[in-house]
Amino acid sequence: MAYACYQSGGVDIKVAENELLLSLQRSYDLYYYFLLLIVEVTRLQERRLETRKNKYRPSEDELSPNTRLVENRFALQVQANETLRKYVKDHGISWASESDFVKQTLERILESDVYRAYLECSEDSYETDREFWRSVFRKLICGNTVLEEALEDMCIYWNDDVDIIESFVIKTIKRFDESAGSKQELMPMYKDEEDREFAVTLFRQALLHGDEYRKRIGHYLENWESERVANMDLVIMQVAIAEIMHFPKIPVNVTLNEYIDAAKYYSTPKSSTFINGILESVIQDLKKENSMLKQQDILYL
């Protein structure tokens, strides 16, 4: 979001904060879309089996189909989940306008080795049902460019968040417990109000003091041609410095690791090494200037 602000050529803090919160809300919507996808795929398969059974001359296989997918206990528990049902109702979450996406997802599952192994598994248990859907997300949905491109077309805010939300869904599936029934807890949007405030404050500080942070960064760019420094690298370093300066309780090495990983994902192949080197130099300056850093052990990668 900070990158988008600079790309637009101007920074209105209040507008930018509202856009940040909207982006976070849309990402959280995606979390529920994925959970609802489990329900919609199951329902579609159920409708298909019923339609085939009611054909004029159904085959033996159509009259007595394998119903393991539609009777999957984990999927039925997700369908009954009270938090999911309330969120879907309150926020208007639906796959109704994206029936092709649901159909493509079901076809991919039915044609997969994951599904074949599920049908052949002799163990019939809740754990087997849950693990099947965890495998579906890990092996068939995560990293599937066709599916992810379709999601990105549905909402511009999902462009950078699909991978992260997919990992949240996998964690959620793993945490499901049959005994929790319809009251199984789902991941909250924020851990607590402090978590929300952290996101807003970090974003605000990165923008408010952007010129100062970029000046610090620029001091160590003398040997670099400005056009060769990716704008994304500058933004990543800017936000990292904001976190170091305004959240002293977060260990500096944790911040470094976090933003170096971000560079690997969002920027160029060489960005992580470049950013690490620049931030190390900036941190040394801050360490001399500010006593809050003098007591911390700075671990470089």
Side-chain angles (χ1 to χ4, degrees):
M1 190 56 63
Y3 177 76
C5 288
Y6 278 94
Q7 288 296 94
S8 67
V11 179
D12 183 312
I13 300 298
K14 189 60 181 177
V15 171
E17 286 181 8
N18 290 337
E19 191 69 13
L20 170 68
L21 293 174
L22 177 60
S23 175
L24 293 173
Q25 180 63 60
R26 291 293 174 263
S27 294
Y28 194 52
D29 287 348
L30 179 57
Y31 172 70
Y32 280 91
Y33 266 103
F34 272 131
L35 292 175
L36 187 60
L37 183 62
I38 296 172
V39 177
E40 293 302 325
V41 165
T42 303
R43 286 173 174 168
L44 177 57
Q45 177 66 353
E46 185 175 17
R47 291 195 298 271
R48 282 186 171 188
L49 296 183
E50 192 63 27
T51 299
R52 291 168 185 171
K53 186 184 297 185
N54 292 322
K55 284 170 57 177
Y56 178 63
R57 289 186 177 178
S59 66
E60 285 297 320
D61 286 342
E62 289 171 333
L63 284 172
S64 301
N66 189 310
T67 58
R68 193 163 190 181
L69 180 60
V70 300
E71 294 174 353
N72 182 287
R73 282 157 287 208
F74 166 75
L76 294 176
Q77 184 184 11
V78 173
Q79 181 177 336
N81 185 270
E82 294 177 7
T83 303
L84 174 61
R85 292 166 73 92
K86 185 177 187 305
Y87 194 92
V88 166
K89 180 180 179 181
D90 292 347
H91 295 267
I93 301 297
S94 171
W95 286 102
S97 62
E98 301 294 336
S99 57
D100 286 345
F101 184 93
V102 178
K103 179 181 177 181
Q104 291 168 9
T105 303
L106 175 59
E107 293 292 348
R108 183 171 178 81
I109 291 171
L110 296 178
E111 294 170 1
S112 70
D113 291 337
V114 172
Y115 179 65
R116 193 173 302 110
Y118 176 57
L119 295 184
E120 294 173 353
C121 181
S122 59
E123 182 181 346
D124 182 18
S125 66
Y126 172 85
E127 287 71 22
T128 301
D129 288 351
R130 183 186 59 201
E131 185 57 32
F132 163 72
W133 273 107
R134 196 160 76 97
S135 295
V136 166
F137 269 89
R138 287 176 54 242
K139 299 178 180 180
L140 304 180
I141 294 180
C142 294
N144 183 298
T145 55
V146 175
L147 295 180
E148 291 179 353
E149 285 173 4
L151 285 172
E152 291 170 4
D153 289 340
M154 288 171 60
C155 180
I156 60 173
Y157 291 99
W158 294 346
N159 290 356
D160 296 324
D161 299 334
V162 174
D163 291 345
I164 297 171
I165 302 303
E166 285 172 344
S167 70
F168 288 168
V169 174
I170 291 173
K171 290 178 182 177
T172 298
I173 294 173
K174 187 176 181 180
R175 293 176 181 176
F176 256 67
D177 188 322
E178 186 175 19
S179 65
S182 63
K183 299 186 181 299
Q184 173 70 47
E185 291 186 359
L186 303 180
M187 287 189 172
M189 183 171 176
Y190 302 104
K191 182 176 64 176
D192 49 36
E193 185 58 31
E194 183 179 345
D195 198 33
R196 177 186 182 280
E197 187 60 29
F198 168 79
V200 174
T201 302
L202 176 62
F203 183 67
R204 182 188 303 134
Q205 295 301 330
L207 296 183
L208 283 175
H209 302 285
D211 291 343
E212 174 195 340
Y213 300 157
R214 289 197 172 212
K215 185 176 180 180
R216 289 180 179 277
I217 294 166
H219 182 70
Y220 294 99
L221 297 180
E222 294 177 356
N223 296 324
W224 291 81
E225 297 177 23
S226 58
E227 62 270 16
R228 293 183 60 191
V229 180
N231 285 333
M232 180 59 77
D233 290 353
L234 292 174
V235 172
I236 289 172
M237 288 187 285
Q238 182 176 331
V239 179
I241 294 171
E243 184 171 307
I244 290 168
M245 294 190 70
H246 295 279
F247 296 92
K249 292 183 179 180
I250 299 177
V252 175
N253 63 296
V254 171
T255 299
L256 277 172
N257 285 333
E258 179 181 349
Y259 290 94
I260 288 169
D261 284 344
K264 292 176 183 176
Y265 183 81
Y266 289 107
S267 200
T268 67
K270 296 182 179 180
S271 289
S272 58
T273 301
F274 167 70
I275 286 175
N276 186 41
I278 297 296
L279 286 179
E280 283 184 359
S281 298
V282 172
I283 289 169
Q284 287 298 336
D285 288 343
L286 292 173
K287 186 177 179 181
K288 296 175 184 176
E289 298 169 12
N290 198 323
S291 60
M292 74 175 184
L293 293 176
K294 291 181 181 180
Q295 303 301 319
Q296 294 194 31
D297 293 325
I298 301 176
L299 305 178
Y300 299 125
L301 302 181

